[in-house]
């Protein structure tokens, strides 16, 4: 995905099927790519890991953005609460 030096990288659930070691390798790759100025857009259900790697966080619910914010403004302890509130707490 990065061999052609794209300005934007898109990842859809990149941690699926990875063990802990491979997940750590991917974390470092994503950090390195972001440090070069690349834009990285990733969807993930691993919201704690996503928050730790991201500059911005969006929560999608019913096809719309239910929450948008800068990760440095969101304490890690609040990520699950924000997700739960944005998605209606699973009460459909």
């Amino acid at each position: 995905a990065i061999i052609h030096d794209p300005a934007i990288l898109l990842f859809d659930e990149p941690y699926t099927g990875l063990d802990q070691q491979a997940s750590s390798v991917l974390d470092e790759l994503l950090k390195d790519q972001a440090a070069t100025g690349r834009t990285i857009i990733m969807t993930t259900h691993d919201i704690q890991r996503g928050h730790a790697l991201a500059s911005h966080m969006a929560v999608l619910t019913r096809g719309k953005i239910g929450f948008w914010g800068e990760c440095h403004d969101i304490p890690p302890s609040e990520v699950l609460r924000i997700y739960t509130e944005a998605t209606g707490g699973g009460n459909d």
Side-chain angles (χ1 to χ4, degrees):
I2 61 176
I3 199 163
H4 299 291
D5 198 29
I8 300 173
L9 296 171
L10 301 173
F11 292 93
D12 183 16
E13 294 293 341
Y15 294 96
T16 301
L18 298 183
D19 62 19
Q20 293 303 310
Q21 182 179 3
S23 293
S24 293
V25 168
L26 180 56
D27 286 347
E28 291 307 312
L29 175 91
L30 293 172
K31 289 175 189 175
D32 291 346
Q33 294 302 307
T36 68
R38 280 201 172 94
T39 297
I40 300 172
I41 299 171
M42 176 174 60
T43 62
T44 184
H45 286 95
D46 188 344
I47 57 176
Q48 297 293 347
R49 175 173 256 136
H51 176 266
L53 292 169
S55 62
H56 292 76
M57 178 176 120
V59 177
L60 300 178
T61 182
R62 297 182 183 103
K64 297 180 181 177
I65 295 176
F67 173 84
W68 172 264
E70 293 187 34
C71 287
H72 66 79
D73 291 336
I74 305 166
S77 61
E78 291 293 303
V79 173
L80 183 57
R81 181 191 61 76
I82 289 169
Y83 173 82
T84 301
E85 286 180 7
T87 60
N91 299 324
D92 289 322

